[in-house]
């Protein structure tokens, strides 16, 4: 009894035309899936998007204010 893996039969490479077609199908399916997920996420987050945007803007403005105050008292 040997521990070596059994030999696999020789596999022929796919023709270039088939590889191109499979690649196009894969890109199309991936794009459609991403669009559907983005749409569903947009529907779920739409109610909270204003609050998220305002929170992000407040954090950015607070950071700018802190930097300006620190710079003011340093000089």
């Amino acid at each position: 009894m040997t521990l070596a893996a059994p030999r696999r039969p020789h596999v022929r490479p796919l023709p270039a035309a088939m590889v191109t077609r499979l690649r196009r199908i894969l890109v199309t399916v991936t794009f459609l899936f991403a669009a559907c997920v983005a749409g569903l996420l947009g529907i779920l987050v739409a109610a909270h998007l204003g609050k998220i945007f305002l929170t992000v803007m407040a954090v950015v403005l607070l950071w700018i204010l802190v930097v300006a105050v620190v710079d003011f008292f340093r000089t």
Side-chain angles (χ1 to χ4, degrees):
M1 183 169 173
T2 178
L3 295 176
R7 298 186 103 202
R8 292 177 33 199
H10 181 68
V11 179
R12 294 181 302 154
L14 294 174
M18 185 177 286
V19 170
T20 302
R21 185 172 180 206
L22 288 173
R23 185 176 293 134
R24 286 181 182 165
I25 290 171
L26 182 64
V27 167
T28 303
V29 168
T30 303
F31 178 79
L32 290 175
F33 177 74
C36 290
V37 169
L40 290 174
L41 188 62
I43 290 171
L44 293 174
V45 176
H48 305 288
L49 198 56
K51 295 174 189 171
I52 293 170
F53 181 71
L54 286 176
T55 303
V56 169
M57 290 303 296
V59 168
V60 169
L61 290 175
L62 180 65
W63 178 255
I64 292 172
L65 179 66
V66 167
V67 169
V69 168
V70 168
D71 185 48
F72 175 76
F73 284 112
R74 276 191 181 173
T75 58

